[in-house]
């Protein structure tokens, strides 16, 4: 019996069915209208950008959608960014969603606390849109790969059917 051939140069899309990852990945932005328009302008053609302006709307929106990334600006919050990140990280619906915080220039002391609370990245205002875009795109590419691996771990590679992990 011949040994199976593994082509290391195969790309991820070649390994997974198109229907699995064809939907646009979603970014949730908790920001003021002006800040969110900048992100929509930069990323709107690539990702589905959902904007919320208050913490109640933030939690409700997370419970209703499958987000790959959350971006939190400090300006619209009446509460601390750190408290917001901590609340999101203890919520079972969103504890695995990566969070990027964008802090005001005078809030440099909160940078470490933001990362320690569970954010994967923290930016200080003023930020360059190109840097924010690059960081979001890097995190979203990683999120897409993770989703593809989750599907692969639950699917038989030969038949495309659910494997036994779906029965447990």
């Amino acid at each position: 019996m011949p040994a199976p051939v593994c082509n290391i140069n195969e790309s991820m899309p070649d390994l997974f069915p198109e229907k699995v990852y064809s939907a646009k990945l979603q970014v949730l932005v908790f920001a003021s209208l002006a800040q969110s328009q900048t992100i929509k302008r930069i990323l709107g053609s690539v990702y589905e950008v959902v904007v919320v302006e208050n913490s109640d709307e933030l939690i409700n929106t997370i419970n209703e959608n499958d987000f790959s990334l959350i971006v939190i600006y400090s300006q619209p919050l009446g509460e601390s960014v750190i408290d917001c990140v901590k609340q999101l990280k203890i919520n079972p619906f969103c504890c695995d969603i990566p969070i990027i915080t964008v802090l005001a220039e005078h809030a440099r002391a909160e940078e470490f606390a933001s990362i320690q609370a569970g954010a994967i990245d923290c930016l200080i205002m003023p930020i360059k849109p190109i840097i924010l875009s690059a960081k979001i795109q890097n995190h979203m590419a990683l999120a897409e790969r993770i989703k593809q691996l989750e599907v692969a771990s639950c699917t038989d590679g030969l038949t495309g059917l659910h494997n036994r992990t779906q029965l447990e």
Side-chain angles (χ1 to χ4, degrees), residues 58-117:
L58 176 70
I59 298 299
N60 291 336
T61 305
I62 288 171
N63 293 338
E64 296 169 1
N65 296 286
D66 181 25
F67 291 103
S68 299
L69 181 68
I70 300 172
V71 180
I72 301 175
Y73 278 80
S74 60
Q75 272 68 11
L77 296 173
E79 61 190 85
S80 163
V81 172
I82 288 89
D83 291 339
C84 184
V85 171
K86 285 179 181 177
Q87 288 176 359
L88 291 173
K89 288 301 176 181
I90 62 171
N91 184 331
F93 291 108
C94 62
C95 61
D96 294 330
I97 303 173
I99 300 171
I100 295 176
T101 57
V102 181
L103 302 174
E105 188 174 10
H106 65 275
R108 285 197 176 273
E110 292 183 15
E111 186 175 12
F112 176 72
S114 174
I115 299 292
Q116 197 172 29

Side-chain angles (χ1 to χ4, degrees), residues 89-164:
K89 288 301 176 181
I90 62 171
N91 184 331
F93 291 108
C94 62
C95 61
D96 294 330
I97 303 173
I99 300 171
I100 295 176
T101 57
V102 181
L103 302 174
E105 188 174 10
H106 65 275
R108 285 197 176 273
E110 292 183 15
E111 186 175 12
F112 176 72
S114 174
I115 299 292
Q116 197 172 29
I120 58 167
D121 207 344
C122 182
L123 300 166
I124 304 295
M125 295 286 256
I127 56 173
K128 296 177 183 172
I130 190 99
I131 299 298
L132 178 61
S133 173
K135 287 184 179 239
I136 289 174
Q137 287 177 1
N138 285 341
H139 291 300
M140 293 300 281
L142 181 60
E144 183 176 16
R145 296 289 187 206
I146 289 169
K147 285 184 188 270
Q148 290 173 349
L149 289 172
E150 286 172 354
V151 169
S153 71
C154 298
T155 307
D156 180 76
L158 183 60
T159 64
L161 300 174
H162 294 296
N163 63 20
R164 66 179 179 82

